[in-house]
Amino acid sequence: MATAITYEGKAKILTPTEQPGILRVLFKDDATAFNAQKRGQIQGKGAMNCTISSHLFQFLAEQGIANHFLAQPAANVMAVRALQMFALEVVVRNRAAGSLCRETGLPLGLELMPPLVEFYYKNDGLGDPLLTPERLRLLNLATPEEVQILGDAARQVNEHLRQFFAECGILLIDFKLEFGRDDHGAVILADEISPDTCRLWLADEADPVRRVLDKDRFRHDLGAVESAYQLVLERVLRQ
Ligand code: TMP
């Protein structure tokens, strides 16, 4: 009998396991951008993103950041705690890039101090819109206390990851996090942390194309996507 799929996203498939409360996450090589208007494959991405994410989740757990990671039973498979997910994407930006530049005119790479923390509505049909605090309250996607916890957790994750990547010779430009609630109502970091969900620039490379180590290579057809992900993998595993 085929295993029932609990959830299939653009880059991952979640299925139940025999153990209640534990899900199996299969990381796919499929890549999408611009709300799936652009589709393709990045060879080996599933295994690379799963391994990078597993490593970063274990690092964050050591730093006291609760997260859903349990084990990596295969290169492209992660075992995680089942959570009730918030329909939110929490984005942290250390430098201006992507939609922030497009929508505000700020120059690419401008340092943002303190880092900008933003909430987006995770809703493909609506194109994951940026939420104002008022709309976040209106939609009731998290309680005001949880919104505070999510923002604080995202800032803490940023401090740990920024330092971690700096030691890899990589600048953490921005990234997206997703969180869920456990049975006790605790807020737990979930999803993935990978070159699909982060912007990562080589610290010692000034060239605006050569420095890019993340999904922007796929989004903007910069080429050498696999080797950029591979470089991130090697540097992360070296730490
Ligand atoms: P943005 O500049 O397009 O708003 O993206 C900010 C960060 O969030 C960037 O690191 C890429 C990541 N991201 C996702 O992980 N998933 C998404 O659907 C989008 C739009 C961005």
Side-chain angles (χ1 to χ4, degrees), residues 91 93 97-99 120 128 174-176 196-199 219:
V91 169
R93 301 178 191 271
S99 67
Y120 291 76
D128 297 345
D174 62 26
F175 59 95
K176 181 264 303 182
D196 271 13
T197 62
C198 301
R199 283 197 177 88
R219 291 189 187 98

Side-chain angles (χ1 to χ4, degrees), residues 10 34-35 89-93 97-103 118 120 124 128 173-178 191 195-200 215-216 219:
K10 292 187 285 273
F34 313 118
N35 204 16
E89 300 192 345
V90 187
V91 169
V92 183
R93 301 178 191 271
S99 67
L100 182 63
C101 293
R102 214 167 47 241
E103 293 168 8
E118 301 177 315
Y120 291 76
D124 281 342
D128 297 345
I173 304 303
D174 62 26
F175 59 95
K176 181 264 303 182
L177 299 176
E178 296 183 28
D191 194 49
D196 271 13
T197 62
C198 301
R199 283 197 177 88
L200 302 166
K215 199 163 105 179
D216 274 349
R219 291 189 187 98

Side-chain angles (χ1 to χ4, degrees), residues 22-40:
I22 299 184
L23 296 177
R24 176 182 185 276
V25 186
L26 177 75
F27 284 65
K28 302 193 267 187
D29 288 354
D30 297 350
T32 64
F34 313 118
N35 204 16
Q37 290 177 64
K38 181 179 169 80
R39 290 175 179 277

Side-chain angles (χ1 to χ4, degrees), residues 4-190:
I5 289 178
T6 301
Y7 172 82
E8 178 158 7
K10 292 187 285 273
K12 297 188 288 296
I13 297 173
L14 275 65
T15 47
T17 64
E18 308 83 77
Q19 289 160 284
I22 299 184
L23 296 177
R24 176 182 185 276
V25 186
L26 177 75
F27 284 65
K28 302 193 267 187
D29 288 354
D30 297 350
T32 64
F34 313 118
N35 204 16
Q37 290 177 64
K38 181 179 169 80
R39 290 175 179 277
Q41 289 244 321
I42 301 173
Q43 284 311 311
K45 176 171 85 78
M48 291 192 281
N49 279 358
C50 183
T51 305
I52 293 167
S53 285
S54 296
H55 195 89
L56 293 176
F57 279 137
Q58 288 172 89
F59 163 74
L60 288 171
E62 286 161 17
Q63 311 306 311
I65 309 276
N67 65 71
H68 72 162
F69 177 85
L70 294 172
Q72 188 188 2
N76 59 348
V77 177
M78 194 187 285
V80 302
R81 291 174 62 186
L83 300 169
Q84 185 195 355
M85 295 300 291
F86 294 99
L88 288 170
E89 300 192 345
V90 187
V91 169
V92 183
R93 301 178 191 271
N94 294 309
R95 287 176 183 252
S99 67
L100 182 63
C101 293
R102 214 167 47 241
E103 293 168 8
T104 65
L106 285 172
L108 179 66
L110 179 76
E111 269 193 74
L112 307 171
M113 195 46 78
L116 191 59
V117 177
E118 301 177 315
F119 291 85
Y120 291 76
Y121 185 12
K122 189 175 166 68
N123 183 318
D124 281 342
L126 298 175
D128 297 345
L130 174 63
L131 294 169
T132 61
E134 291 76 15
R135 288 183 185 190
L136 184 46
R137 245 191 322 276
L138 180 71
L139 293 175
N140 206 18
L141 299 171
T143 67
E145 294 73 26
E146 285 171 333
V147 171
Q148 182 70 42
I149 292 169
L150 291 167
D152 290 346
R155 270 180 276 271
Q156 278 180 35
V157 169
N158 182 46
E159 290 314 311
H160 292 302
L161 288 185
R162 199 156 55 151
Q163 177 69 31
F164 180 95
F165 279 114
E167 287 165 20
C168 300
I170 292 173
L171 296 178
L172 178 60
I173 304 303
D174 62 26
F175 59 95
K176 181 264 303 182
L177 299 176
E178 296 183 28
F179 293 85
R181 285 185 200 103
D182 72 8
D183 291 344
H184 309 287
V187 172
I188 310 285
L189 176 62

